[in-house]
Amino acid sequence: MRIDIVTIFPDYFGPIDADGQVGASGPLGVSLIGKAGARGDIDFRVHDLRRWTTDVHHAVDDSPFGGGPGMVMKPDVWGAALDDVLAEAAAAEVATTETAATEAAATEAAATEAAPVGPTAAKTPAAAKPPARLVVPAPSGVPFTQELAAAYAAESHLVFACGRYEGIDSRVVADARTRMVVDEVSIGDYVLAGGEAAVAVIVEAVCRLLPGVLGNEQSAADDSFGGAGGAMSGLLEGPVYTRPRAWRGLEVPDVLLSGHHQAIARWQRDEALRRTAANRPDLIRRLAATGDGLDKRDRQVIAEAGFPVDGESMAL
Ligand code: JD8
């Protein structure tokens, strides 16, 4: 996957080298995602928006039409930046494809040299990659969810536009929508000063779903908030414990030391149900609405947790 980020604060994403690649520190350079970047499984590129300014002050903002507080980011600078980033990515894609084709031809030539002469398969041009998807964080955007994270993880190229000030002139998104999918997304009902923090959140949620990034794919399958149909999907994470068994007079629950896997799984689900009923009753209702989300024991547990369940039908 290729991920391009355009921002007026490139250092937010750690040290950036000459051609926009991220160094080994910073949110994109550390941990499993950093390793995936270093392996080349993810091609991170960070671009300074001011590269596309045209005036001596490298201005990226101007006063809002219609008045009001603050400043708005200029459409012409953003338009030029997005055009170039897309063109650069397309050129890099062609270069990669051509190199791969040349290498394949060279290997094949070497092979055919040895092999008896015969009809050679027609060279099928590599399928053109789908266009990039543009993601623009904004407090007015659609909620970013685990489901959207999974959709983005299926893309081959994501471009993130980090706004600042009062936001980006709205014609930038309108113009981009004429040639690509554009999502305005929000990471939550609170106000940030800009899009960079949201991009760091979204990139982490997406990249941990990419094949080979997480040590074991299983843990993503069990993700809360959707997950991929794992046993606990749709529930909040339950409590977790590790050594020592006793700490400051606090013991690890005996069932976890019992080796009785069925009892352990039931206990973990009960704890996840109790925590979800307490902290996110909306998720319990969502599970209940899907009919098979909650079995009889589940409904008993959440009833005991004070969740309004109708005694008879145990319906919610
Ligand atoms: C992008 C500029 C600041 C927002 C005036 C404060 C996302 N969940 C979220 N909260 N805030 C953002 C976000 C805030 C941004 C930008 C995302 C670009 N700002 C603006 C409008 C009010 N200032 C966000 N995702």
Side-chain angles (χ1 to χ4, degrees), residues 175-213:
D175 168 66
R177 280 207 169 110
T178 62
R179 55 189 182 283
M180 60 197 296
V181 175
V182 182
D183 298 336
E184 291 180 284
V185 296
S186 168
I187 62 166
D189 299 344
Y190 39 82
V191 180
L192 303 169
E196 285 77 10
V199 168
V201 165
I202 296 168
V203 165
E204 176 153 330
V206 171
C207 291
R208 64 183 290 281
L209 300 176
L210 297 175
V213 171

Side-chain angles (χ1 to χ4, degrees), residues 12-28:
Y12 187 99
F13 297 97
I16 312 296
D17 62 19
D19 54 9
Q21 291 191 302
V22 298
S25 61
L28 306 179

